[in-house]
Amino acid sequence: MSRASPVFGTGNEGSFTPGLPLSLEPARRLIVALDVPTPLEAERLVERLAELPVVFKIGHQLAYTGGLTVAERLAKAGREVFLDLKLHDIPRTVEEGVRSLAGFGAKYLTVHAYPQTMRAAVAGAGASGLTLLAVTVLTSMNDGDAEEAGYGHPVAELAQRRAVDAREAGIGGLVCAASEAASLREVVGPDRVLVVPGIRPAGEAAGDQKRVTTPADAIRAGADRLVVGRPITAASDPLAAARAIIAEIAEGAA
Ligand code: C5P
């Protein structure tokens, strides 16, 4: 672990397994979405937040411009990294894709919660230490969007069903909306991680998110870790914005 990295910082030495302790430091519950166009911008953002032991999430926007290299460097520097690539393809492609991604040293990887996809991902992750998270239903979707996509169930029901499938497939955790955290916790039990996006501090713009919650309420609802993007990446002072969110997380955990 390189404690000396000026760019990627330190402070992420603690490891964790699914089923996070209640005593987990509030800052470690924050996952910052590095939703920026280039590795250079991502590294600048990481540098500004380096003193906080947050998890860094790399999604589609950054992954396709070199973000996997950023992920690898962050992981090598001892940071916890979340690859939010939301995989879904035929089983062999998913299994081999996950096997390739396991080599980047990330802690988390997302796949869509389709049984075939999840089983293939579990096979690909093997004993690598990569924790797979199943995306139940995107937090940008409401019941109308689910209907438009051809699903005959409201999102809450769909999420419930997918959580059962994720448990059966041996997935390490779920990505879900805060409003579903309590009911999905009952399905997956205490040993799986619940990651909740769609977080907005009170008074912030929702953007394209339709099922939003404040940091404190999401923690109270049973979320282990919260994904926050724009409220931090678009802030004039990302460090201050992250600190304010961590304070809200602490309030929710108290
Ligand atoms: O900017 P904002 O806080 O809305 O960013 C949320 C992040 O969480 C984005 O990177 C998005 O891809 C991700 N995400 C989500 N809903 C899911 C899974 C991931 O919004 N169900």
Side-chain angles (χ1 to χ4, degrees):
M1 179 172 317
S2 99
R3 297 182 61 89
S5 167
V7 175
F8 296 115
T10 57
N12 204 29
E13 301 84 354
S15 65
F16 59 89
T17 50
L20 299 171
L22 289 173
S23 58
L24 189 76
E25 191 186 334
R28 293 184 187 275
R29 294 188 184 276
L30 177 60
I31 299 170
V32 178
L34 297 175
D35 291 336
V36 292
T38 64
L40 187 64
E41 283 163 90
E43 288 179 16
R44 280 202 193 115
L45 192 53
V46 165
E47 203 170 343
R48 293 183 81 169
L49 300 174
E51 66 193 74
L52 303 174
V54 298
V55 181
F56 290 113
K57 183 174 90 69
I58 288 155
H60 294 278
Q61 184 183 15
L62 184 60
Y64 304 142
T65 61
L68 292 179
T69 309
V70 176
E72 196 165 28
R73 290 180 55 200
L74 283 167
K76 281 202 176 120
R79 303 298 308 219
E80 283 177 330
V81 176
F82 178 160
L83 292 177
D84 189 14
L85 301 178
K86 299 191 177 72
L87 304 186
H88 181 47
D89 207 315
I90 60 170
R92 183 180 183 281
T93 303
V94 170
E95 181 174 339
E96 296 306 332
V98 171
R99 194 162 283 130
S100 298
L101 289 166
F104 285 93
K107 178 67 194 166
Y108 293 125
L109 170 68
T110 45
V111 300
H112 279 288
Y114 293 82
Q116 219 181 38
T117 294
M118 292 190 287
R119 286 192 294 268
V122 168
S128 64
L130 181 63
T131 298
L132 296 166
L133 301 175
V135 178
T136 52
V137 181
L138 295 170
T139 46
S140 58
M141 288 179 74
N142 60 22
D143 290 344
D145 298 305
E147 197 185 338
E148 184 189 27
Y151 295 108
H153 309 277
V155 287
E157 243 174 69
L158 206 51
Q160 191 84 13
R161 182 181 167 165
R162 289 178 173 175
V164 172
D165 293 339
R167 187 190 62 202
E168 300 308 310
I171 290 281
L174 301 177
V175 180
C176 63
S179 57
E180 289 147 11
S183 64
L184 298 190
R185 174 67 75 198
E186 282 182 27
V187 176
V188 299
D191 296 332
R192 288 188 167 86
V193 185
L194 291 185
V195 173
V196 170
I199 301 297
R200 290 292 176 271
E204 283 255 357
D208 56 357
Q209 299 279 17
K210 290 184 182 153
R211 296 182 288 150
V212 296
T213 313
T214 65
D217 284 346
I219 293 291
R220 282 188 203 110
D224 290 304
R225 290 194 146 154
L226 310 183
V227 176
V228 182
R230 287 162 287 187
I232 294 173
T233 56
S236 53
D237 185 344
L239 181 59
R243 283 193 184 290
I245 289 167
I246 290 165
E248 288 195 51
I249 290 174
E251 190 193 313

